[in-house]
Amino acid sequence: MLRPGHHGAHHRGSAHAGGAAVLEEERGPPLQRVHCPPVPPRPAPVPLPCEDSDLPRHDGRVLGRQGTDSAQPYSFYHWHHIDIFNYFTHNMVTIPPAGWTNAGHRHGVLVLGTFITEWTDGAKVCEDFLKDEESYRAVADKLVQICHCYGFDGWLINIENELSASAVETMPLFLRYLTEQIHERVSGGLVLWYDSVVQTGKLQWQNELNQNNRQFFEVCDGFFTNYNWNEQNLEWMKGYSAVQGREADVYIGVDVFARGDVVGGMYETNKPLEMIRKHNFSAAVFAPGWVYETQEKTEFRHNQDKFWALLSDLLPLHRPVHSLPFTSTFCQGFGKSLYWRGKIERERPWFDLSAQQIQPELCSSKEGRGWLKSRACPEHVWSGGSSLLLEGLIPAEHTGAVAARVLSLHVPLASSTLLCVVYKASPGVSVSLESTVHHPDEDTVTSVSPVRLEEGHDVVSRYTRLCGLHNEKDWTVMCVLLEAQRGSLRDVSVNISRDAEDQDTAFSLRLGQITLLDASTLQLPSERIEGLCIYDVVWLHGSSSTNSHPPEVLLNATLRWHFKPELACHYRVHWRRLRGPDPRVAGGPLVFLSRAQSHLFRITELAVPAPPGLLEVLVEPVLKSGFVLPESQWGRARLSYSQDQ
């Protein structure tokens, strides 16, 4: 959803300041809501029904957080354009999968679930839970409990069936109570109503907010219109008394599939957004997954970037709030392989939105013969599944550097802040950094071009030693200091200049990681993983290999541990055999198993030597600072097993 007049820092719980919303449907394309004010608006995700779509929404539901081995997943990563994300299915109660919630919250975006009733069965459900105060309060309380338990931020209420006179009279009471309870129990919580039922109980989509449906709008946080509106609807609503002062809470529905008598859609979705912005409303963009469902899936990244580039000038920039240390590898939460420090760690496709890092701004510009374009690239990655690739041409007649903004965020700076970038550049070009800093006392923004620190500088030496970075093949580590900058970092840009004069220079630059940390804290933390335990153990007979030697069994088990979440980016899970059935055979080497995005992980069908045996599981924290903890600070637990188990 896009809300008018929103710009600057945004964080979870501040969606009412204006922004955008997106809708994701489990069996259909994602929905998005967009607000359009006098200043560039922004869209946010919200769930809407879409029965004819085919998105693989079940990707990423192993334990709700471990992802899948999906080769061509649907993913969303343009979070900086939205403020609200709503996950939608045609089940009565839809809980957003953990990966989508985690990715949204990491980018400061609110995530909503869906409560929907439909057809004859839906009417019966409504009659039952709206029959009296005790019943509707019980349903509302349960929705609040679900929301609180699973960590998302509220609900889209979608009643797609007729209501009796008594039920429609009770519905505003239910909505008011649910909204009050969400506000009380969920920080920044939100309840939205979809344009469907009217005050008589009839199912009559209005395509606007008017006297027939205002009673629902007045008791919740926002109203999501149906899609068959025209500009006359917007003009009328602008003067409607119920809207005055709440224009940003009216989300005008935009169907990207362009079904029915609608404005724009597909690669002309910018047209309805321009109209919505003109009248200062918010927008709900429904089903941007159109680019996945109707286009070549192998070109998904290209098509999704093309779609959002059409809207970018209409959407104000969303700057999520973060603290030091901060890091991003630009990973989109999926890839052809899993990389770790420039090397392939696991060579197979994967998808896990919980692993998605803060996303960069993508650019595409042309000036004369020169051009510059950025995109995510799944090859030659530093960490995760993708790096940020900038490509372009510096023509002979161009003087100076080519600049590209890569990150927009809100990070309060220390008195001395270390900014480090891991990159790989083509021959013939040089790379430097530039940043903008907001000074709240004077409410000014200044541009800072820090000098690159030499390799032998004490700060650089300490940082690379703590991170274990020494002569990384093909990758370069660049460090700069932002000193005496009272305020918050807003933007990080890279400048690319050619080394030779007066000749056309084609270039490529891969950014693998950006890290920000307090320069006064260049030391390993004392924290270690505590309480690693193994439980819910299930053994499967047989082997992952029919001719394995020695014989093997398959281990399934859950790991849980404790570590300060503010320190860790993710965790690497390892195992090793300490003793097998033959005591004469020495223990095995440490083997990487997988990554975990939280303090809970499920081992599935790990082939280990047949019993009796003893194995050890180790969990390594990967710190946001990039520092490498010694094995003595990892978590470790042993599992002894015998033939009787």
Side-chain angles (χ1 to χ4, degrees):
M1 290 191 183
L2 296 177
R3 298 174 58 91
H6 176 70
H7 50 281
H10 178 72
H11 54 84
R12 180 182 175 189
S14 63
H16 297 289
V22 176
L23 298 130
E24 276 290 351
E25 184 170 21
E26 179 164 36
R27 296 185 55 202
L31 304 173
Q32 287 181 344
R33 312 197 172 205
V34 179
H35 257 321
C36 292
V39 303
R42 344 174 7 181
V46 176
L48 290 182
C50 183
E51 303 171 70
D52 57 352
S53 84
D54 224 354
L55 297 183
R57 291 287 184 248
H58 290 284
D59 285 350
R61 288 201 173 183
V62 180
L63 268 191
R65 53 168 64 91
Q66 288 184 199
T68 65
D69 296 335
S70 179
Q72 293 179 332
Y74 174 78
S75 179
F76 183 77
Y77 49 85
H78 288 84
W79 300 99
H80 55 285
H81 288 318
I82 69 172
D83 291 297
I84 306 166
F85 183 91
N86 182 224
Y87 198 88
F88 179 89
T89 76
H90 289 277
N91 298 315
M92 185 172 71
V93 176
T94 297
I95 300 170
W100 293 85
T101 300
N102 291 342
H105 285 174
R106 185 169 290 127
H107 289 84
V109 171
L110 298 176
V111 179
L112 306 183
T114 304
F115 179 76
I116 183 173
T117 61
E118 300 177 281
W119 314 113
T120 304
D121 289 345
K124 292 177 181 177
V125 168
C126 289
E127 289 301 312
D128 188 42
F129 87 85
L130 295 172
K131 63 187 177 184
D132 54 37
E133 182 177 3
E134 181 181 3
S135 298
Y136 78 69
R137 286 195 171 214
V139 171
D141 289 341
K142 186 58 66 175
L143 291 176
V144 174
Q145 290 171 17
I146 292 171
C147 194
H148 191 263
C149 175
Y150 289 94
F152 59 100
D153 306 296
W155 297 96
L156 173 71
I157 307 300
N158 189 3
I159 306 300
E160 298 273 0
N161 50 257
E162 296 197 349
L163 298 175
S164 67
S166 61
V168 77
E169 185 178 347
T170 306
M171 181 60 77
L173 302 178
F174 162 73
L175 265 183
R176 182 189 298 276
Y177 179 72
L178 173 62
T179 303
E180 290 172 348
Q181 294 304 303
I182 285 289
H183 290 175
E184 184 176 320
R185 293 286 306 280
V186 180
S187 176
L190 207 59
V191 176
L192 304 178
W193 174 264
Y194 177 64
D195 170 17
S196 52
V197 173
V198 295
Q199 63 179 353
T200 63
K202 296 293 185 182
L203 182 59
Q204 295 177 339
W205 298 273
Q206 301 293 290
N207 302 300
E208 66 180 20
L209 178 66
N210 57 33
Q211 196 64 29
N212 295 323
N213 50 35
R214 67 177 290 176
Q215 63 176 343
F216 308 113
F217 173 62
E218 289 173 344
V219 294
C220 67
D221 296 306
F223 182 86
F224 181 179
T225 76
N226 194 43
Y227 312 104
N228 301 109
W229 52 270
N230 54 42
E231 189 162 13
Q232 285 69 42
N233 296 109
L234 304 185
E235 289 172 348
W236 183 87
M237 280 193 293
K238 197 168 183 179
Y240 182 41
S241 61
V243 174
Q244 303 309 304
R246 292 191 66 189
E247 290 87 353
D249 297 333
V250 179
Y251 297 85
I252 309 301
V254 177
D255 183 3
V256 178
F257 273 77
R259 288 161 288 206
D261 184 14
V262 301
V263 179
M266 296 185 273
Y267 285 125
E268 292 187 340
T269 299
N270 55 306
K271 292 182 177 180
L273 289 190
E274 289 169 358
M275 203 176 292
I276 294 166
R277 175 182 174 185
K278 172 184 173 183
H279 294 282
N280 205 33
F281 290 110
S282 291
V285 182
F286 175 81
W290 170 82
V291 300
Y292 180 89
E293 296 190 52
T294 65
Q295 317 279 301
E296 183 60 50
K297 290 181 173 56
T298 57
E299 295 296 314
F300 166 64
R301 275 189 171 107
H302 169 77
N303 292 328
Q304 173 139 287
D305 295 346
K306 174 183 175 181
F307 175 83
W308 284 97
L310 293 170
L311 310 183
S312 61
D313 288 343
L314 299 166
L315 310 177
L317 191 60
H318 172 81
R319 285 186 168 88
V321 176
H322 293 278
S323 57
L324 298 176
F326 166 85
T327 189
S328 177
T329 63
F330 310 109
C331 175
Q332 292 180 331
F334 65 103
K336 296 179 180 179
S337 298
L338 183 65
Y339 286 79
W340 174 245
R341 299 201 164 192
K343 299 175 183 176
I344 293 179
E345 194 167 48
R346 192 174 63 196
E347 195 168 7
R348 65 173 183 263
W350 64 278
F351 170 74
D352 182 1
L353 274 184
S354 289
Q356 189 179 92
Q357 301 275 287
I358 293 297
Q359 290 301 291
E361 284 188 69
L362 301 180
C363 65
S364 180
S365 62
K366 193 175 191 313
E367 183 178 341
R369 295 191 307 113
W371 60 274
L372 172 66
K373 187 171 184 177
S374 63
R375 62 183 174 90
C377 183
E379 289 91 19
H380 306 289
V381 176
W382 175 250
S383 181
S386 54
S387 58
L388 178 61
L389 174 62
L390 293 91
E391 298 173 299
L393 172 70
I394 305 175
E397 61 272 19
H398 182 84
T399 58
V402 173
R405 183 168 61 183
V406 294
L407 276 181
S408 292
L409 57 166
H410 183 93
V411 179
L413 296 172
S415 57
S416 180
T417 302
L418 182 63
L419 168 58
C420 299
V421 177
V422 179
Y423 71 92
K424 181 189 295 189
S426 57
V429 295
S430 298
V431 181
S432 61
L433 297 175
E434 188 172 343
S435 61
T436 58
V437 178
H438 176 242
H439 307 278
D441 292 343
E442 301 85 18
D443 194 24
T444 58
V445 176
T446 59
S447 179
V448 181
S449 300
V451 177
R452 180 172 183 164
L453 301 179
E454 297 293 334
E455 286 188 21
H457 192 285
D458 178 59
V459 170
V460 177
S461 298
R462 278 190 289 158
Y463 174 75
T464 54
R465 183 177 67 253
L466 288 166
C467 294
L469 299 173
H470 304 290
N471 301 319
E472 303 301 318
K473 183 181 179 181
D474 299 329
W475 292 91
T476 301
V477 180
M478 173 171 51
C479 298
V480 300
L481 279 174
L482 303 175
E483 296 188 286
Q485 297 294 333
R486 295 181 180 275
S488 298
L489 182 69
R490 289 171 57 88
D491 303 297
V492 177
S493 302
V494 294
N495 296 323
I496 305 154
S497 56
R498 62 166 172 255
D499 296 335
E501 295 297 328
D502 302 328
Q503 66 180 43
D504 288 354
T505 304
F507 67 86
S508 67
L509 171 65
R510 296 178 188 275
L511 296 181
Q513 180 172 284
I514 286 184
T515 302
L516 287 157
L517 63 160
D518 187 339
S520 67
T521 62
L522 295 183
Q523 57 186 15
L524 288 179
S526 59
E527 285 79 7
R528 64 181 65 225
I529 285 185
E530 304 284 355
L532 175 60
C533 61
I534 306 174
Y535 62 101
D536 286 344
V537 176
V538 176
W539 294 98
L540 298 179
H541 294 287
S543 171
S544 57
S545 172
T546 54
N547 299 313
S548 63
H549 184 78
E552 296 174 334
V553 292
L554 304 179
L555 169 64
N556 300 267
T558 298
L559 309 179
R560 184 189 293 273
W561 59 89
H562 300 286
F563 191 74
K564 279 190 174 181
E566 61 270 23
L567 295 179
C569 181
H570 62 270
Y571 303 88
R572 303 176 74 229
V573 182
H574 312 263
W575 81 282
R576 61 183 163 211
R577 174 176 56 84
L578 296 180
R579 186 177 67 245
D582 187 347
R584 296 170 297 178
V585 178
L590 192 65
V591 178
F592 171 75
L593 183 57
S594 187
R595 289 188 183 184
Q597 303 301 323
S598 72
H599 62 278
L600 190 67
F601 181 79
R602 181 70 180 175
I603 296 173
T604 56
E605 298 192 2
L606 172 64
V608 301
L614 176 66
L615 61 85
E616 184 175 44
V617 176
L618 297 94
V619 177
E620 172 191 4
V622 176
L623 304 182
K624 292 178 181 178
S625 63
F627 301 165
V628 177
L629 286 180
E631 198 173 307
S632 60
Q633 289 176 257
W634 300 6
R636 61 179 64 221
R638 293 185 174 188
L639 179 65
S640 176
Y641 56 101
S642 64
Q643 192 66 49
D644 297 333
Q645 291 177 292

